[in-house]
Amino acid sequence: MGRLILLAIASLLMAGASSAALAETASPAATAATSAPAARALSPEADPASQEAAGATDEGGAAAVDAKPETAVAPEAKSAAAEPTTPAAVALKARLDAIPGDGADEENKERAALIAFYGARAFAPLWVNAQGFNSDANGVIEAFSTAGSWGLAPEDFPAPKIAGGELSPEAQAAAEAELSLTVLKYARYARGGRIMRPAEQLNSNLDRKPQLLDPAKLLDGLAAASNKAAYLVGTHPQHAQFQRLREKYVEALAKNGGKPNAGAKKILANMEMWRWMHDDLGDLYLMANVPTYMISVVKDGAVVHTERIVVGEIGKQTSIFTRPLKSVTFRPMWRVPESIKVNELWPSLLRGGGLMRQYGLEVETKDGRRLDYRTMDWRTLDIRNYEVVQPAGRKSVMGVIKFSFPSQHTIFMHDTPDKWMFNSQQRTLSHGCLRLRNPLSVAEILLKEDKGWDADKVQDLARNGPMNNEVAMDKRVRMHIAYFTAWVDEDGKLKTYSDIYGHEKRVTQALDGKWQQIAKGRDHLAPVVPDKAHLEDKPQKQAASGGKSANDDFLGSFFGGF
């Protein structure tokens, strides 16, 4: 038995080395296919004013279109399908036409791409001849066998079975079509296609989606590649962090006799979440990693600044998505979110409006006309028909600056007067927004790059500038809110973090096929419905603790924590 385990480990390591060699020798076409900027195929960006409006789409998130990196070899314009001229080509056309067109959207797209690809070449085969598979096909099949070292399951990519001797046209067609379909499936899974709709299948806060390659361009790239196996392996994400995690995954498997233990599965879940990230993160970008409670400013691939952040409570999570940073607002006004209006302010107004007075809140119509909440009958009015705002000033829960990246999640990143929160080890203290310990340091870096401003100007605007002074960003700076519980640092050390929201567990369950066990949680985008019992509750007196009243603790967490 010991000898068998040693043989299995040796086989795994050889497979990993083989896969690495394939990736390192990937053709220029494969490299370009996985590194071209994804921005070309992104959905239109929302106007900065739409921060509170639902429907803004994620760059690569749940509502965005597929990213479609281009291959190095630009495909020629497709002409009408040429008629097959050989028995094998005739059989292949019939085989492709017989593929059912009632599959999932991505499968139907792959079917259409195959028909167009082979039609443009008069249905000449790419992989098979009368004698069986050619060398390109054998290389691709070998790549399938090493899928485990890339975090995929080799059993998902079975090689077509062919009989010995000369193959009939029908047998050639069957093997050709099956191998091409499996190649497309491998590339789909390499880009996260095992979990197509994370927000729907796992949790509504996971606003990500697989970064699928365009199957038509993939097929053209494969046909042009001198090393087709290397090209296929090159469809995995090329991010340095993905590659480092993959190395740690192979090591973890080898230590456990080729079977993934809990540690390996943690790495695997993080690799899968990298398959949802854009190829091009940006020349200058922000990366807020929720499980680490840290944000990094990254320029040209190097971290130039890091800072502590506070993230959403377990029950009011910070959503995971990517958006462009639209504006930086000095001395900002706060527009109170729907959930806080309904669940906290409305009951307070029915009891006299203490929270409104304490935090200097005002009521406005939807078109911005200021009203006197003291004269309004909140027993007959619905607070959802109004806006509640906190003007900029000394009491502002936004502090002196706010960073906006509009989305349907209605969260942003901002300053806070409650600096004590940053001393906690677990900083799940807000209502979803990100709070920065030293926000002006981040603003200085961004506005120097975007506007050429020096630090003195940024500091002056924060202290003495106009109220609610919104500065639009000219350059494209992406805000990536991520959820990585495993990270390999520059020294090659694997660091792990708590799965505070349970996303890692959900991804692991999905990869294990345990879909029925996934606890999706509430849909945080569902309309807020008032709790009638809550509206009728009487105020409760609570005992003070730790030098603060329980009421102060609650309000500081609730209002200051958004």
Side-chain angles (χ1 to χ4, degrees):
M1 180 61 71
R3 179 178 175 83
L4 290 175
I5 292 176
L6 288 174
L7 287 173
I9 293 173
S11 175
L12 177 65
L13 292 175
M14 290 176 65
S18 174
S19 299
L22 286 173
E24 290 172 2
T25 58
S27 65
T31 302
T34 56
S35 60
R40 300 187 185 98
L42 300 179
S43 56
E45 297 171 1
D47 184 87
S50 67
Q51 173 70 41
E52 284 77 27
T57 57
D58 184 359
E59 296 186 348
V65 297
D66 292 345
K68 300 174 182 177
E70 297 178 354
T71 58
V73 180
E76 297 180 359
K78 298 292 184 184
S79 57
E83 287 300 316
T85 58
T86 67
V90 170
L92 179 57
K93 182 178 185 303
R95 188 79 180 192
L96 294 175
D97 288 340
I99 298 174
D102 57 354
D105 290 344
E106 58 275 11
E107 293 172 332
N108 291 337
K109 188 174 182 180
E110 290 170 359
R111 173 184 179 272
L114 274 181
I115 293 173
F117 170 75
Y118 281 106
R121 49 191 285 135
F123 296 92
L126 185 63
W127 313 111
V128 184
N129 54 43
Q131 285 69 49
F133 289 126
N134 58 27
S135 59
D136 287 331
N138 288 326
V140 164
I141 292 170
E142 174 62 24
F144 290 162
S145 70
T146 67
S149 67
W150 289 93
L152 303 181
E155 57 267 26
D156 286 334
F157 316 107
K161 290 181 170 52
I162 55 176
E166 186 167 330
L167 299 179
S168 67
E170 289 73 21
Q172 294 177 51
E176 179 78 21
E178 187 176 347
L179 186 56
S180 287
L181 284 169
T182 306
V183 163
L184 291 174
K185 181 180 179 181
Y186 182 101
R188 179 170 17 111
Y189 279 20
R191 288 308 186 94
R194 288 180 288 186
I195 307 173
M196 284 300 301
R197 302 175 304 282
E200 175 185 331
Q201 296 171 290
L202 304 183
N203 181 272
S204 63
N205 285 290
L206 277 174
D207 190 1
R208 296 283 185 200
K209 70 180 300 183
Q211 296 296 293
L212 302 183
L213 302 177
D214 183 87
K217 294 178 180 178
L218 179 69
L219 289 168
D220 286 329
L222 267 173
S226 59
N227 187 334
K228 294 175 173 45
Y231 184 99
L232 183 63
V233 172
T235 59
H236 289 281
Q238 299 300 300
H239 301 292
Q241 190 58 216
F242 176 88
Q243 299 292 333
R244 291 173 187 166
L245 286 169
R246 184 250 169 176
E247 292 173 3
K248 296 297 182 183
Y249 180 69
V250 171
E251 292 175 9
L253 289 180
K255 291 177 181 177
N256 199 45
K259 295 181 179 180
N261 56 14
K265 287 188 174 184
K266 188 179 189 76
I267 298 171
L268 183 62
N270 281 266
M271 289 172 63
E272 197 68 16
M273 287 186 277
W274 271 105
R275 301 184 199 274
W276 303 340
M277 297 297 289
H278 302 141
D279 294 326
D280 178 18
L281 298 177
D283 296 330
L284 176 68
Y285 64 86
L286 301 167
M287 176 74 82
N289 190 17
V290 169
T292 65
Y293 311 109
M294 296 292 293
I295 190 170
S296 300
V297 183
V298 183
K299 180 181 178 182
D300 298 329
V303 175
V304 296
H305 184 75
T306 60
E307 189 54 78
R308 291 184 185 183
I309 57 174
V310 163
V311 303
E313 300 171 5
I314 305 302
K316 301 177 179 67
Q317 300 175 10
T318 296
S319 297
I320 309 303
F321 61 88
T322 291
R323 295 290 189 282
L325 181 64
K326 286 296 188 178
S327 62
V328 176
T329 304
F330 292 93
R331 310 181 80 182
M333 174 191 74
W334 180 39
R335 191 176 302 276
V336 180
E338 194 89 332
S339 61
I340 297 180
K341 286 194 305 183
V342 170
N343 296 324
E344 306 302 326
L345 294 185
W346 199 356
S348 176
L349 284 165
L350 288 171
R351 298 164 193 157
L355 292 182
M356 301 289 290
R357 291 189 296 275
Q358 183 172 350
Y359 287 91
L361 303 175
E362 300 290 345
V363 172
E364 294 181 349
T365 60
K366 292 292 185 179
D367 58 4
R369 182 167 55 88
R370 186 67 55 84
L371 302 173
D372 186 352
Y373 68 85
R374 301 167 189 83
T375 64
M376 302 169 70
D377 186 356
W378 293 105
R379 294 171 300 175
T380 59
L381 297 174
D382 189 330
I383 201 169
R384 291 171 293 181
N385 296 327
Y386 302 91
E387 298 288 352
V388 179
V389 300
Q390 184 188 51
R394 183 179 58 83
K395 293 184 178 181
S396 174
V397 300
M398 296 283 101
V400 299
I401 195 167
K402 177 180 76 171
F403 302 82
S404 297
F405 32 93
S407 77
Q408 70 270 39
H409 304 289
T410 63
I411 66 172
F412 36 85
M413 181 169 67
H414 62 89
D415 182 25
T416 176
D418 297 320
K419 301 300 183 183
W420 61 267
M421 289 185 172
F422 299 103
N423 296 326
S424 301
Q425 185 173 1
Q426 179 172 327
R427 297 191 286 276
T428 50
L429 299 167
S430 82
H431 262 57
C433 281
L434 301 174
R435 308 182 72 190
L436 270 168
R437 181 176 59 172
N438 295 306
L440 292 181
S441 298
V442 174
E444 288 170 8
I445 296 171
L446 297 177
L447 293 174
K448 180 180 180 180
E449 292 292 328
D450 192 71
K451 309 292 185 189
W453 293 353
D454 60 19
D456 288 342
K457 179 164 185 175
V458 172
Q459 294 287 337
D460 183 60
L461 286 172
R463 294 190 181 98
N464 309 308
M467 295 292 188
N468 208 42
N469 179 21
E470 184 176 5
V471 179
M473 299 292 291
D474 294 324
K475 294 182 179 179
R476 187 178 185 83
V477 177
R478 284 181 177 149
M479 177 68 179
H480 302 285
I481 305 180
Y483 192 89
F484 296 120
T485 57
W487 193 273
V488 182
D489 65 18
E490 295 293 335
D491 296 326
K493 182 179 179 180
L494 175 66
K495 297 181 178 180
T496 58
Y497 306 93
S498 297
D499 182 19
I500 54 177
Y501 293 160
H503 294 328
E504 175 202 308
K505 179 179 180 180
R506 294 182 182 97
V507 173
T508 298
Q509 288 172 325
L511 296 181
D512 286 343
K514 299 177 180 178
W515 295 95
Q516 298 303 317
Q517 297 181 20
I518 297 173
K520 297 180 183 179
R522 70 182 183 93
D523 181 358
H524 77 289
L525 296 176
V528 180
V529 179
D531 183 342
K532 292 184 179 180
H534 191 189
L535 293 178
E536 296 172 358
D537 281 346
K538 301 299 182 183
Q540 300 291 323
K541 291 186 178 181
Q542 300 178 7
S545 62
K548 286 185 176 182
S549 72
N551 195 45
D552 288 339
D553 287 337
F554 170 76
L555 293 175
S557 174
F558 195 92
F559 284 93
F562 191 84

